[in-house]
Amino acid sequence: MNPKLLLDQAQIDRAREAASQIAHGVDSYIKNRSTIAVERTVLRLLGIDGVDAEYVPLPNVVVEHLLEQNVLDIGVTKWMINAVVQLKLTPQEVAERVANGSFRLTDLPWIDENQLIAEGEKWARTSLDHIQNVRQKRTALIRRLGEGKAPQLYVIVATGDIYEDAIQGKSAARQGADIVAVIRSTGQSLIDYVPYGATREGFGGTYATQENFRIMRQALDEVGEEVGRYIHLCNYCSGLCMPEIAAMGALERLDMMLNDALYGILFRDINMQRTLIDQSFSRMINSYAGIVINTGEDNYLTTADAVEAAHTVLASQFINEQLALLSGLPPRQMGLGHAFEINPNLENGFLMELAQAQMSRQIFPEAPLKYMPPTKHMTGNIFKGHIQDALFNMVSIITGQGIQLLGMMTEAMHTPHIQDRQLAVENAKYIFNNVRNLSDEITFKQDGLIEKRAQDVLAKAVEMLEEVKEIGLFQTLERGMLADVKRALTGGKGLHGVFVKNAYYFNPLEDALRERLGLKRRGDSS
Amino acid sequence: MSIDLSRVKPYGDTLNDGAIQFSFSLPVPSGDEAKEAAKQLTAQMGIVEPQVYHMKDLGEGYTFFIVYGKCEHTVDFSNIRVPKVESSVMNFYEINAFIREKIGRKLVVLGACTGTDAHTVGIDAIMNMKGYNFEYGLERYPEIDAYNLGSQVENETMVAKAIEMDADVLLVSQVVTQKGVHITNLTELVEIVEAEGIRERLILICGGPRINHELALELGYDAGFGPGTLAPGVASYFVEEIYKRIQQQK
């Protein structure tokens, strides 16, 4: 696509350079640290699943077991592999023994270090080979069935009951949805374990569990065959269990994951160190699994004003892009977020929305941008809301967005009813079809309102990123420069789960992911 | 024709035509039987001549309908009494002047989304400096010390904060209402406040899309505000209420 808005490439380069330095600053801080969630993820990738008698997930049991004995600083892997080799058991069987209290991982003598490393690497290879198979299965299915044209229609189901979700998801797919996301139960992002099994009770959504992933995947595969279109499944791995949920998604062939530390820090008050470490690992998993991540910049506009804070969205997209690259995530898997949230009473608000969306498109040409619908200014007047959503759809098709989170006329009222979703799909399909090639026919007026607005937002974003570069991301968050929300380096939830790695720390999954993703190994001391 | 307020009916284009619209889905497959089911259902609701103007197959054995008809029911408007917040709404300057002149000290207001609720749009609109729709939030009020505790605040935490800050007013926002969780949450806060023996010292206010004044009173709150409420509406109420209580104590 030819660039339509005249944007200063030198400014874009400056922004990217600043964002890259910001991302490296974060990376150099987190590289010597791991978290209990990262370690639990390693256990899950080694094949550990299930719960103990008190319904505590086995990965938590094992990690807590080592934490209590103050020996987690070398990571969980060596302890686990040591037991696996000597007891000739699978990791699952070892975890079960730990859970029933019959033995402690620390009771066994160490086997030879080289053997330990080699065994760990072998287990990691097996695990990643499995994820690769899952990924290949997706590729084959998409090749055979095809998939929806961009902007792909993304709808949410949120009944609280996974079996209802499956019905609603299938119904949505038949009506034309390309992506079905199961919203999590309110508060799941703040619990430090992943619930187990199929769940039928939730508030404002349904728990993300591996079994729920499986149920939903199967339902969408079934309906995908019928409608002749691969239906993408999306869930949410922001929060305290970010890498674990990413791993579960990789195993159960999810296609898309909300995966944004900044969102958790700002809107869920999760400790920044914890979630940035978790994010780094989770994005490697998502990258390797071929999962498209979604970032949450759209949320900034629910607290800050969409006109005034537009540049913070762009700045955050730049930072998220650079952080993602450090985890080996290619641009085609970066669903960078933004939103249609300008006050509808503002004169020419539509022009500004167009400017923002077109600018993002040009600056991140390969990224399947995730475009979020109006929420803040939805009122309960469903008739007007339907029109607001129509304008949102117009902007999207004109500017070639990748992922269209469909607006519901009942936004701000209740979680969508079955017909709300159908009407939203109908709205989007009508507009996308009716206006499909409009953007090929129009250019933006040079120095017009739209172009100037985009240039203005870009200039402000550059300014902001260069300021952030000077003080680092942590300080930026402490000062409340994003979304008007202030967060402390040692505040928020989950800090207790962060630990500094010992010189003998070993995480073969991360090492293997880095190798397969073509990332440099992040030396422990440099 | 004059309107009989004791027998009010919906209005389309002619008085007492009863014109009313419905949209809903039924868990039945689309078809003539589904259409008939939609008609019979609306008929049972007291609708005459129900017309199914739109029927759409939603898949999975579900069908969506848009139905119009004529409502036979009437309401007696002349006898309706609804409990309301009885304050007139002052503006930003008037509210601050009122506090300065009539109360004579700064007021401490705490706001939060309690329980598992993470939707802060409402409480932010009331509390945050910038406010909403060009109307400043309470943080901007020079005569109010406003503290937005944010989302997912435990009721215990909020009450502890209230005691610590010697708060005058607690604002509780509840957006998520699935399975009645807002009722449980709001009730629990009142119980804790009462257990702590500070109910009399506080003005308890709740707000949210499914909250109204009547529900708030039932749950033991002093006032409730629904969607569209802005900071001046809430502040006008509590400054007058505080003033009233001061007068009563004299």
Side-chain angles (χ1 to χ4, degrees), chain A residues 266-322:
Chain A
L266 295 169
F267 300 100
R268 293 290 180 269
D269 196 15
I270 293 172
N271 175 263
M272 58 179 88
Q273 305 181 40
R274 165 72 182 266
T275 190
L276 282 162
I277 299 165
D278 286 347
Q279 172 172 277
S280 168
F281 190 44
S282 65
R283 285 188 176 177
M284 287 179 211
I285 297 167
N286 282 329
S287 175
Y288 191 67
I291 291 172
V292 172
I293 66 159
N294 285 186
T295 60
E297 282 85 355
D298 46 280
N299 292 283
Y300 298 179
L301 305 180
T302 59
T303 49
D305 178 76
V307 175
E308 286 172 36
H311 65 287
T312 66
V313 170
L314 179 59
S316 174
Q317 289 174 327
F318 273 118
I319 295 171
N320 254 323
E321 176 192 50
Q322 294 302 318

Side-chain angles (χ1 to χ4, degrees), chain A residues 111-145:
Chain A
I111 58 167
D112 173 63
E113 174 82 3
N114 289 331
Q115 193 196 350
L116 201 55
I117 302 279
E119 281 292 323
E121 287 171 346
K122 195 187 83 189
W123 278 94
R125 273 197 303 278
T126 310
S127 175
L128 293 193
D129 287 349
H130 176 65
I131 290 175
Q132 195 175 28
N133 287 338
V134 173
R135 180 177 182 157
Q136 281 164 354
K137 187 165 181 201
R138 177 197 301 117
T139 310
L141 278 168
I142 291 177
R143 194 174 300 136
R144 182 164 62 78
L145 291 172

Side-chain angles (χ1 to χ4, degrees), chain A residues 22 52 59 119 160 193 198 207 241 246 267 272 282 356 449:
Chain A
I22 294 161
D52 73 4
E119 281 292 323
Y193 63 90
Y207 286 102
C241 295
F267 300 100
M272 58 179 88
S282 65
Q356 184 85 16
L449 286 175

Side-chain angles (χ1 to χ4, degrees), chain B residues 113-197:
Chain B
C113 284
T114 56
T116 56
D117 203 336
H119 298 75
T120 59
V121 182
I123 195 74
D124 287 345
I126 305 290
M127 299 291 288
N128 283 7
M129 196 66 91
K130 273 186 188 144
Y132 188 82
N133 213 4
F134 308 108
E135 197 60 74
Y136 296 144
L138 299 180
E139 287 176 356
R140 177 84 62 129
Y141 285 57
E143 301 302 327
I144 293 176
D145 282 329
Y147 301 91
N148 188 351
L149 307 183
S151 67
Q152 301 183 334
V153 177
E154 295 294 339
N155 283 317
E156 288 88 352
T157 312
M158 186 165 197
V159 174
K161 261 284 192 261
I163 295 169
E164 182 195 326
M165 321 282 295
D166 198 12
D168 297 292
V169 183
L170 300 191
L171 302 180
V172 186
S173 172
Q174 291 285 284
V175 175
V176 174
T177 55
Q178 209 170 24
K179 303 190 170 83
V181 66
H182 61 309
I183 305 287
T184 319
N185 243 333
L186 289 169
T187 311
E188 192 188 74
L189 181 76
V190 173
E191 284 167 1
I192 297 172
V193 165
E194 282 173 354
E196 291 287 340

Side-chain angles (χ1 to χ4, degrees), chain B residues 49-135:
Chain B
E49 298 172 38
Q51 282 283 330
V52 177
Y53 281 101
H54 177 71
M55 175 171 75
K56 174 79 185 174
D57 184 356
L58 299 179
E60 304 302 309
Y62 288 81
T63 308
F64 174 57
F65 306 91
I66 297 177
V67 181
Y68 278 74
K70 295 175 178 173
C71 181
E72 286 191 307
H73 299 301
T74 64
V75 291
D76 180 359
F77 185 76
S78 57
N79 267 318
I80 289 178
R81 301 284 175 269
V82 179
K84 264 188 224 133
V85 176
E86 299 285 353
S87 63
S88 53
V89 176
M90 296 182 269
N91 68 28
F92 175 79
Y93 301 100
E94 290 164 349
I95 292 165
N96 284 302
F98 187 97
I99 301 173
R100 257 193 317 273
E101 290 156 19
K102 299 202 169 170
I103 300 175
R105 64 174 177 85
K106 281 197 179 190
L107 298 180
V108 178
V109 179
L110 303 188
C113 284
T114 56
T116 56
D117 203 336
H119 298 75
T120 59
V121 182
I123 195 74
D124 287 345
I126 305 290
M127 299 291 288
N128 283 7
M129 196 66 91
K130 273 186 188 144
Y132 188 82
N133 213 4
F134 308 108
E135 197 60 74

Side-chain angles (χ1 to χ4, degrees), chain A residues 84-379:
Chain A
V84 164
V85 171
Q86 294 187 58
L87 303 176
K88 299 193 168 44
L89 295 172
T90 62
Q92 175 71 22
E93 288 161 346
V94 171
E96 284 166 7
R97 289 205 185 180
V98 172
N100 69 28
S102 59
F103 101 113
R104 301 195 305 174
L105 289 168
T106 47
D107 288 343
L108 294 171
W110 285 112
I111 58 167
D112 173 63
E113 174 82 3
N114 289 331
Q115 193 196 350
L116 201 55
I117 302 279
E119 281 292 323
E121 287 171 346
K122 195 187 83 189
W123 278 94
R125 273 197 303 278
T126 310
S127 175
L128 293 193
D129 287 349
H130 176 65
I131 290 175
Q132 195 175 28
N133 287 338
V134 173
R135 180 177 182 157
Q136 281 164 354
K137 187 165 181 201
R138 177 197 301 117
T139 310
L141 278 168
I142 291 177
R143 194 174 300 136
R144 182 164 62 78
L145 291 172
E147 62 182 327
K149 271 193 256 187
Q152 291 195 326
L153 305 187
Y154 175 128
V155 300
I156 283 167
V157 296
T159 67
D161 177 344
I162 192 62
Y163 298 104
E164 283 301 327
D165 288 341
I167 293 171
Q168 295 228 357
K170 284 170 115 171
S171 160
R174 280 187 224 285
Q175 289 152 20
D178 302 308
I179 305 162
V180 175
V182 181
I183 288 265
R184 289 187 299 176
S185 181
T186 309
Q188 186 174 358
S189 59
L190 301 182
I191 55 176
D192 217 338
Y193 63 90
V194 183
Y196 180 76
T199 66
R200 311 198 65 169
E201 280 264 306
F203 296 111
T206 309
Y207 286 102
T209 73
Q210 196 162 344
E211 182 59 22
N212 286 352
F213 284 5
R214 220 171 278 143
I215 291 167
M216 205 62 198
R217 176 73 277 165
Q218 195 193 337
L220 296 187
D221 280 351
E222 283 167 15
V223 74
E225 293 288 342
E226 284 174 47
V227 299
R229 196 170 77 248
Y230 183 77
I231 307 299
H232 297 258
L233 175 58
C234 177
N235 212 291
Y236 299 73
C237 73
S238 297
L240 291 175
C241 295
M242 193 187 268
E244 282 184 281
I245 295 179
M248 287 158 34
L251 297 171
E252 302 303 334
R253 191 163 35 85
L254 268 75
D255 308 290
M256 203 173 275
M257 274 285 177
L258 276 282
N259 187 195
D260 191 353
L262 290 172
Y263 169 77
I265 297 164
L266 295 169
F267 300 100
R268 293 290 180 269
D269 196 15
I270 293 172
N271 175 263
M272 58 179 88
Q273 305 181 40
R274 165 72 182 266
T275 190
L276 282 162
I277 299 165
D278 286 347
Q279 172 172 277
S280 168
F281 190 44
S282 65
R283 285 188 176 177
M284 287 179 211
I285 297 167
N286 282 329
S287 175
Y288 191 67
I291 291 172
V292 172
I293 66 159
N294 285 186
T295 60
E297 282 85 355
D298 46 280
N299 292 283
Y300 298 179
L301 305 180
T302 59
T303 49
D305 178 76
V307 175
E308 286 172 36
H311 65 287
T312 66
V313 170
L314 179 59
S316 174
Q317 289 174 327
F318 273 118
I319 295 171
N320 254 323
E321 176 192 50
Q322 294 302 318
L323 284 170
L325 287 173
L326 289 179
S327 287
L329 199 89
R332 66 173 182 282
Q333 280 172 245
M334 293 180 198
L336 300 172
H338 66 128
F340 186 97
E341 287 284 20
I342 293 175
N343 188 329
N345 298 330
L346 197 68
E347 191 170 53
N348 287 324
F350 181 83
L351 277 63
M352 285 196 235
E353 297 286 10
L354 209 49
Q356 184 85 16
Q358 179 64 27
M359 177 191 68
S360 306
R361 181 68 289 157
Q362 287 179 217
I363 293 176
F364 306 102
E366 288 176 67
L369 299 175
K370 181 198 68 164
Y371 199 24
M372 296 290 284
T375 58
K376 188 181 182 178
H377 298 284
M378 295 293 277
T379 57

